[in-house]
Amino acid sequence: MNPVADASPSLPVIDYSKLVEVKVSKDPGSSLTSQNERQKLFAALRDVGFVYLQNHAISPTAQQTLFHHAKRFFAQPESEKAKIETGESKAFHGWFSPQRTSGDSSKSDQKEAFDIGDDNDPTRPNQWPSNWPEFRTDMTSFFEQCHEVHLELLSALAEQVGLNAEFFLPYVQAKDHFFRVLHYPETTGASFRNRFRASPHTDYGTLTLLFNDSHGGLQVRNKAGDFVDAPPLPGAAIVNGEITILCAALFGSISILQHTIGPCWDLLSRWFNDTLKSTEHRVVEPTAFDKSDPEIPDVIPSRYSIAWFGHPNRDALIEPIASCCTSDNPRKYEPVYAGRHVVERLAKLHKEGKNTENWTDSMARDHNQDAVKEVKVTA
């Protein structure tokens, strides 16, 4: 399908402050306000797959600081970054270069990343640059703030299918999330003939919070099968079904633009039996780049983003929620262990240097050796 360009906000806008208003306001009408906004969130993720999230609880200062850190980290020589290179034996924590892990610069994504998990988890330690304690402090603080937003969003979604607001809490309290800062290096327009900055893919877990700079390029596949632009919207974040929050920042005098909640992730989609469906997205050449202007060189500037990927506990067994299985929407998935699903998808990403466009459980390396028979996640 062909991309459909749109310079105006193309996604529904959700006000996070209204989602949580019932918890912080004494106004008798706050309960109805929160209920309406939660219904609006669920409908948007069901019908569109991505939303812009405004007035969330993550401060502009925290975002600005991480964008500055990202610029500094990725400006280091490759030899320095390679000292903390990631891999499966390191829980996929550290510096990630798709070109290096795949060995194929002709097809791998045009990006690099630095990845961490919960810094309090001794079983899967993070790798950190030496002599830079502020980077560690600020990354881990941001990780915790995103976790709290993630809990509120899951709570809102649970209530819309007749579950207790705290239903998902036991399945995410281990904080087995994945947090990365990304750099898409400066490149040429010609490079996009065969490669993406991020290949078409769905995310892996529950919800994603994504913060982008102002250079654009994010596209979301709509229900018609076309990729549409998801441009920055001042003051908002993008949320998708696995949920993604996107925000934009301008370097120099950094001004935070928009966040979005992105597509439903694979495992959230499995929980909701495709009522909330994993939404495919990609990062391409910014549509604002005007090749017809002879004064503009054929150079696409660097792009930075911050992505917090919410995941269930690694030992959580995920299956469709009973209330999401009906005669019109019968059960579509067998149970799967969350940790295994995420590891298999990360392993394939590292091996191929780009995400798989259409993932199925049969792609797991030990698919025939690990059939799941016991079902633990029910409603």
Side-chain angles (χ1 to χ4, degrees):
M1 295 292 181
N2 295 322
V4 176
D6 184 358
S8 64
S10 54
L11 307 175
V13 178
I14 298 298
D15 188 335
Y16 180 82
S17 67
K18 291 182 179 179
L19 290 177
V20 300
E21 184 174 334
V22 68
K23 296 184 177 182
V24 297
S25 174
K26 296 181 180 179
D27 185 339
S30 62
S31 177
L32 180 59
T33 298
S34 286
Q35 181 181 347
N36 289 341
E37 202 68 12
R38 288 166 181 244
Q39 291 173 349
K40 184 179 174 183
L41 169 65
F42 187 89
L45 292 178
R46 179 194 63 207
D47 299 336
V48 180
F50 275 75
V51 304
Y52 290 107
L53 187 69
Q54 292 183 322
N55 301 321
H56 55 83
I58 301 171
S59 75
T61 299
Q63 298 165 39
Q64 292 168 5
T65 298
L66 280 202
F67 274 109
H68 280 305
H69 286 333
K71 248 192 149 178
R72 175 181 166 184
F73 176 82
F74 293 117
Q76 296 179 109
E78 187 172 286
S79 58
E80 192 65 24
K81 291 179 285 189
K83 293 178 181 178
I84 53 172
E85 191 162 16
T86 186
E88 188 165 2
S89 65
K90 299 174 182 177
F92 298 106
H93 295 162
W95 176 60
F96 168 47
S97 166
Q99 180 174 325
R100 283 168 63 95
T101 60
S102 69
D104 186 353
S105 62
S106 67
K107 297 180 180 179
S108 59
D109 285 346
Q110 301 183 71
K111 67 183 179 186
E112 58 180 330
F114 175 73
D115 303 321
I116 69 165
D118 180 10
D119 209 38
N120 295 313
D121 181 359
T123 67
R124 297 191 295 183
N126 292 317
Q127 300 189 87
W128 297 100
S130 59
N131 303 315
W132 193 1
E134 299 85 2
F135 187 36
R136 181 173 188 169
T137 299
D138 294 334
M139 284 282 286
T140 54
S141 174
F142 204 95
F143 180 101
E144 294 296 332
Q145 292 179 66
C146 289
H147 174 71
E148 293 304 316
V149 172
H150 163 255
L151 293 181
E152 292 292 348
L153 295 171
L154 285 178
S155 172
L157 297 177
E159 291 179 336
Q160 300 311 303
V161 291
L163 300 173
N164 183 283
E166 306 300 320
F167 173 81
F168 290 114
L169 181 59
Y171 302 110
V172 298
Q173 61 187 0
K175 300 181 182 178
D176 282 332
H177 312 307
F178 199 71
F179 184 31
R180 70 173 19 174
V181 289
L182 294 116
H183 173 222
Y184 304 88
E186 179 180 282
T187 187
T188 65
S191 70
F192 290 93
R193 293 172 186 160
N194 301 311
R195 301 171 68 192
F196 294 91
R197 277 182 156 171
S199 301
H201 66 284
T202 58
D203 290 337
Y204 312 159
T206 52
L207 308 174
T208 302
L209 311 183
L210 179 60
F211 308 81
N212 287 306
D213 68 13
S214 62
H215 290 297
L218 175 71
Q219 293 186 331
V220 178
R221 192 188 288 277
N222 63 21
K223 289 198 170 185
D226 296 312
F227 279 103
V228 299
D229 292 335
L233 180 65
I238 294 175
V239 177
N240 64 25
E242 304 114 351
I243 297 179
T244 302
I245 293 182
L246 304 165
C247 125
L250 296 173
F251 286 113
S253 64
I254 297 184
S255 71
I256 297 301
L257 299 181
Q258 195 150 3
H259 302 76
T260 52
I261 299 179
C264 286
W265 281 19
D266 293 346
L267 296 178
L268 190 72
S269 181
R270 188 180 295 251
W271 253 329
F272 283 86
N273 200 40
D274 279 354
T275 301
L276 302 182
K277 193 170 179 62
S278 243
T279 306
E280 196 175 8
H281 51 289
R282 65 186 186 182
V283 180
V284 299
E285 174 185 6
T287 54
F289 180 70
D290 185 2
K291 294 179 181 176
S292 66
D293 187 341
E295 300 300 318
I296 299 178
D298 186 24
V299 174
I300 309 299
S302 290
R303 179 180 188 270
Y304 295 85
S305 67
I306 301 165
W308 185 93
F309 302 100
H311 291 161
N313 306 339
R314 72 192 80 164
D315 60 353
L317 196 56
I318 310 301
E319 66 156 343
I321 297 166
S323 58
C324 294
C325 301
T326 66
S327 57
D328 294 330
N329 186 37
R331 178 181 171 128
K332 298 178 180 178
Y333 298 103
E334 293 303 313
V336 65
Y337 285 107
R340 174 175 175 268
H341 173 79
V342 171
V343 165
E344 290 301 313
R345 292 219 57 182
L346 283 169
K348 198 165 184 68
L349 165 64
H350 280 236
K351 180 180 179 180
E352 298 186 359
K354 59 182 181 179
N355 269 299
T356 299
E357 187 166 354
N358 296 301
W359 175 267
T360 64
D361 290 344
S362 63
M363 293 179 182
R365 291 166 295 183
D366 58 351
H367 173 66
N368 294 323
Q369 304 172 24
D370 189 26
V372 176
K373 296 181 179 179
E374 183 183 4
V375 177
K376 298 179 180 177
V377 182
T378 57

